[in-house]
Amino acid sequence: MSNFVSVANENGVAVVTIDNPPVNALSFNVRKPLYEALIALRDDPAAKAIVIACAGRTFVAGADITEFGKPVEQPELRAIIALLETIAKPTIAAIHGTALGGGLELALGCHFRNADRGARLGLPEVKLGLLPGGGGTVRLPRLVGAKKALDMIVSGTPISAGEAEAVGLVDAVFDDDLLAQTVRFASEMADRSEPLVPVRDRNGRLAETDLAFFDAQAAGLAKKARGLDAPLACAEAVRNAITLPFDEALAAERQLFVKLVSGDQSRAQRHLFFAEREAAKVPGKDLQKRRIARVGIIGAGTMGGGIAMAFANGGLPVTLLETSAEALQRGLATIEKNYAVSVGRGSLSEEAKQQRLDLFSGSTDYADLGDCDLIIEAVFEDMAVKKEVFGRLDAVAKPGAILATNTSYLDVNAIAASTARPQDVLGMHFFSPANVMKLLEIVRAEKTAPDALATVADLARRIGKVAVIVGVCHGFVGNRMLAARGAENEFLLLEGATPGQVDKAFTDFGWPMGPFQMGDLAGLDIGWRNRKALGQTAAIADTLCEQGRFGQKTGRGWYRYGGGSREPIGDPDVEALIRAKAAEQGITPRAIGAEEIVERTLYPLVNEGAKILEEGIAARASDIDVVWVNGYGFPVGKGGPMFWAGLEGAAEIVERLEHWRAKTGRAIFEPAPVLRRFAQTGTWEVAGGAQ
Ligand code: 3H9
């Protein structure tokens, strides 16, 4: 046989084992011997049934994503599944770990599916900008009904083995010994006299579909797609499964798949899949991770409380430290309230809430942080305060404990220097609400030990965060680039745009909201306070704040908000203020189009990213993309700012930056050398190598 597929005979049952670590993806190396093995077993009288199982940690987790965009080598997955359906003896998939995408489609080609209790099954292709292209959209609805299939395929979220059994996707679930039990199951099936019906011929569930209801449900999902093609294609394909004969629906699915896989959106989403995995890697083979059994959090305010919840949600015990018993109680009460909201919404059970709350202990004494392996401070954003906290931590933390600051802007090197153990100090920049937002910037200071970084990157993953390792600079990767993106905002208004027009250009681009709506949501007073601290001004925004217009929380900001609603309403008072400020500066308003808004906000965003690369603050362009997609709402279908720069055309970006540089004289538009190089070579190169 091959290294990737082996066959054994267990009392007349053939067990085909796929072994392609780490996730048994269906690479060409697997497909070819699998196809050949199935042909041989189809014709082998010594095999009365065939079990497909996997070695290692999981069943097949899908097609090999690295093969997309290259010519397909035969046999392709669809041919294997079609072959399976011609086999007149029982075929059974034995599923442990995850059966995802092409993996689940392979299992759908079998007569039966058995699963380990801990297994998860799903069709996550939509998250890669695709739809299941191996017949998943046509076979899954035949087993679980069109409504459930639509839900699974459009969301891409896997379901548990228990649920899979309940909805008819899985025939048997075993608590242990999956393979032995499945061989026994296979033997029984072979000895039965009932006819074997391939999934393609099971039409009963489809016949019961209420098409009008299905269409209404699909329309609801389409609304949420926000410019992404894949969710719409998924819904269309499942509809075809209901309305078209099997083979026609299968052919239609193929056409949709081929179109998506060669499109920019899927390329962008595949880029992000690998980028996310790359971003948290620390160079240096096999770095020994430190043991993290308890986490200390200093500060039980919004940020500290959210961070504490993030760890408790990941199952880690947390010690929460505050300056007074009252502040501590307030913090713990807020945490309890937040969990109660989740229980009320049905996303958390009462039991799970209690389990999480049991993980918290509170203290007002630094000495109680002595048994923590990681301590994160989330106190007031002020260097003197942070240094004092770290000085105290240095005195109580155990040797080897990792000391982290949640600062958004401050110099982590300076904070580290206030301890006698800078090798153990790093930044953990969470985004608010920290228990919800996925992004974590892990800030590597000059003296941070690589194993401390690797430990925190690993831990971040354990608690479901997407971690990116970044270097020290004002605002790190995300907030520094955000400042560049917003540098022209006021100028755009003064020159004639309205907040509504700017925000619309952003939402049309695919952002969930524009900068002015975002400002109103976050609170305009925050930026105001920062500007004052830095001695900066913003003519319009400062005046709004002087008028007490802080955004949603005061019912007015860049927009008006009626009766506690979050829906922004354009405000003539703001427009009058803008015109008055423009007049003061002698600016005559003109019409400003969406294209100009993009050029003056998103081109500087890319340009700042290029500078960040040049300075080594980010190790790879793709790291920057991960930050922006996961922390700031950059549209996934465009792959992040640095990937998008390639789609947009870097030469065009450089040319337009030069144009605005000449027109305004502002340095924000000066094209970075790395961007100029990208325009010539098509790769994000920095001195010392390609990224
Ligand atoms: C599909 O199936 C299309 C079909 O419908 C139609 C075909 C015609 N391919 O995530 P991890 C790598 S589309 C290639 O860190 P975990 C990954 O890059 C596919 N490589 O592990 C990483 O590499 P490295 C539908 C893959 O335990 C390593 O494996 N399926 C693939 O946290 C470990 O991955 C999906 O979308 C792949 N399919 O999570 C599932 N998958 O070590 C995608 C992983 O060099 N995969 N790698 O960084 C996952 O969701 C997770 O990997 C999984 C394991 C849950 C399986």
Side-chain angles (χ1 to χ4, degrees):
M1 290 305 315
S2 92
N3 290 337
F4 298 93
V5 174
S6 60
V7 178
N9 192 304
E10 310 242 354
N11 301 326
V13 174
V15 177
V16 180
T17 304
I18 299 171
D19 188 4
N20 183 23
V23 298
N24 289 315
L26 289 168
S27 322
F28 169 67
N29 287 338
V30 169
R31 294 197 308 273
K32 187 165 183 295
L34 179 60
Y35 188 79
E36 286 164 2
L38 290 174
I39 295 247
L41 292 170
R42 179 189 62 187
D43 304 332
D44 180 0
K48 61 177 180 175
I50 303 169
V51 170
I52 301 181
C54 285
R57 65 192 213 220
T58 178
F59 192 75
V60 174
D64 183 341
I65 305 170
T66 61
E67 289 183 358
F68 292 151
K70 301 177 188 158
V72 184
E73 288 188 275
Q74 301 297 338
E76 52 181 302
L77 173 60
R78 292 180 315 143
I80 299 173
I81 297 170
L83 167 65
L84 266 174
E85 286 183 327
T86 64
I87 296 181
K89 43 185 119 183
T91 51
I92 304 103
I95 298 168
H96 76 292
T98 45
L100 298 177
L104 181 55
E105 291 176 304
L106 179 70
L108 286 168
C110 295
H111 296 111
F112 306 100
R113 283 143 298 281
N114 286 357
D116 176 66
R117 176 75 54 200
R120 297 183 69 73
L121 301 89
L123 293 172
E125 285 87 342
V126 71
K127 296 182 181 166
L128 298 168
L130 297 171
L131 83 168
T137 66
V138 192
R139 289 190 182 85
L140 185 65
R142 284 177 156 73
L143 284 185
V144 304
K147 183 172 176 295
K148 182 68 187 169
L150 180 73
D151 182 41
M152 284 177 70
I153 294 172
V154 175
S155 75
T157 310
I159 60 174
S160 66
E163 186 179 355
E165 188 179 27
V167 297
L169 174 55
V170 155
D171 300 278
V173 177
F174 298 111
D175 290 317
D176 43 38
D177 270 345
L178 172 71
L179 192 56
Q181 303 259 31
T182 301
V183 168
R184 209 167 304 135
F185 179 98
S187 197
E188 277 168 32
M189 292 304 129
D191 296 342
R192 279 196 330 185
S193 54
E194 282 146 58
L196 293 163
V197 185
V199 174
R200 58 172 287 147
D201 294 331
R202 300 186 208 171
N203 295 324
R205 295 291 311 262
L206 284 182
E208 67 195 36
T209 312
D210 175 345
L211 201 56
F213 181 79
F214 177 89
D215 283 343
Q217 201 189 3
L221 294 169
K223 264 200 204 144
K224 291 190 204 146
R226 249 209 258 119
L228 291 176
D229 298 331
L232 307 183
C234 287
E236 186 182 334
V238 179
R239 192 179 200 282
N240 289 339
I242 309 167
T243 58
L244 299 179
F246 182 87
D247 287 317
E248 280 177 39
L250 197 65
E253 177 198 87
R254 184 65 192 166
Q255 276 184 359
L256 288 167
F257 181 85
V258 168
K259 194 163 161 223
L260 288 177
V261 81
S262 57
D264 286 342
Q265 290 187 356
S266 177
R267 275 209 306 126
Q269 288 180 260
R270 274 147 37 209
H271 157 78
L272 288 167
F273 176 85
F274 291 111
E276 281 178 14
R277 281 156 182 79
E278 227 24 62
K281 285 187 186 154
V282 181
K285 250 194 153 14
D286 299 329
L287 282 169
Q288 191 73 34
K289 315 271 181 338
R290 302 185 194 182
R291 183 171 167 274
I292 307 286
R294 173 170 284 277
V295 180
I297 315 277
I298 305 176
T302 309
M303 206 62 207
I307 296 171
M309 285 175 74
F311 283 103
N313 296 349
L316 276 132
V318 173
T319 303
L320 202 53
L321 188 90
E322 256 298 350
T323 45
S324 71
E326 296 77 56
L328 183 61
Q329 274 323 311
R330 234 186 351 261
L332 288 169
T334 305
I335 288 168
E336 185 159 5
K337 202 177 82 208
N338 289 341
Y339 281 134
V341 169
S342 303
V343 172
R345 272 205 217 110
S347 58
L348 189 74
S349 71
E350 186 62 42
E351 191 192 354
K353 171 189 150 192
Q354 203 46 54
Q355 275 169 2
R356 288 181 196 183
L357 287 174
D358 289 347
L359 291 169
F360 286 89
S361 47
S363 173
T364 54
D365 183 357
Y366 268 76
D368 288 335
L369 296 174
D371 63 347
C372 293
D373 308 290
L374 163 69
I375 306 171
I376 306 167
E377 68 72 20
V379 302
F380 194 64
E381 190 77 341
D382 176 282
M383 184 55 97
V385 179
K386 303 262 187 204
K387 282 187 169 171
E388 198 218 314
V389 166
F390 272 79
R392 295 178 76 171
L393 275 185
D394 204 8
V396 298
K398 66 177 168 191
I402 297 172
L403 311 182
T405 168
N406 175 52
T407 181
S408 312
Y409 291 97
L410 299 174
D411 181 351
V412 184
N413 290 324
I415 295 174
S418 63
T419 72
R421 42 173 129 179
Q423 74 281 0
D424 296 333
V425 178
L426 45 76
M428 287 178 80
H429 181 210
F430 287 86
F431 290 73
S432 191
N435 52 321
V436 177
M437 293 290 289
K438 294 213 111 186
L439 180 64
L440 174 67
E441 284 183 322
I442 301 177
V443 187
R444 178 194 60 219
E446 260 164 29
K447 295 191 176 150
T448 309
D451 71 315
L453 278 178
T455 303
V456 171
D458 197 55
L459 184 67
R461 218 184 143 135
R462 263 168 66 198
I463 63 168
K465 298 292 173 200
V466 176
V468 182
I469 297 178
V470 302
V472 176
C473 66
H474 186 76
F476 313 120
V477 169
N479 283 343
R480 171 169 160 186
M481 287 174 69
L482 183 66
R485 192 192 76 171
E488 287 291 294
N489 283 353
E490 284 234 347
F491 292 116
L492 285 166
L493 299 184
L494 291 168
E495 289 167 40
T498 63
Q501 283 166 349
V502 174
D503 283 348
K504 183 163 185 311
F506 271 72
T507 48
D508 285 351
F509 184 87
W511 298 86
M513 62 178 78
F516 295 106
Q517 228 184 313
M518 188 67 218
D520 275 2
L521 180 68
L524 301 182
D525 48 325
I526 300 174
W528 190 36
R529 220 180 306 126
N530 280 346
R531 284 194 296 279
K532 282 203 256 186
L534 296 170
Q536 295 169 351
T537 57
I540 309 168
D542 288 353
T543 309
L544 289 178
C545 288
E546 281 154 19
Q547 295 171 354
R549 302 183 64 126
F550 292 163
Q552 280 190 22
K553 61 185 165 191
T554 56
R556 277 158 195 253
W558 290 107
Y559 297 94
R560 267 183 204 186
Y561 299 87
S565 154
R566 287 164 175 245
E567 203 47 50
I569 305 163
D571 189 340
D573 291 350
V574 175
E575 282 170 35
L577 171 69
I578 294 169
R579 298 285 72 87
K581 292 286 175 192
E584 270 172 31
Q585 299 186 26
I587 301 170
T588 312
R590 62 184 170 85
I592 294 189
E595 206 175 312
E596 178 175 341
I597 293 169
V598 167
E599 287 180 5
R600 291 174 64 181
T601 54
L602 303 192
Y603 290 5
L605 178 77
V606 170
N607 200 32
E608 196 67 25
K611 290 178 196 165
I612 279 173
L613 268 184
E614 179 96 55
E615 293 166 28
I617 299 297
R620 292 164 284 260
S622 61
D623 290 2
I624 298 175
D625 290 334
V626 175
V627 166
W628 272 82
V629 167
N630 289 286
Y632 297 83
F634 194 98
V636 285
K638 292 189 164 71
M642 310 310 271
F643 184 87
W644 171 71
L647 296 179
E648 181 78 351
E652 158 84 4
I653 295 179
V654 169
E655 197 263 309
R656 295 309 292 163
L657 283 169
E658 280 170 343
H659 166 86
W660 291 110
R661 172 81 169 117
K663 196 157 177 154
T664 65
R666 288 193 281 275
I668 191 89
F669 293 118
E670 180 60 41
V674 171
L675 178 60
R676 288 187 190 279
R677 253 192 325 268
F678 178 58
Q680 281 156 11
T681 64
T683 45
W684 285 110
E685 286 169 16
V686 293
Q691 294 300 308

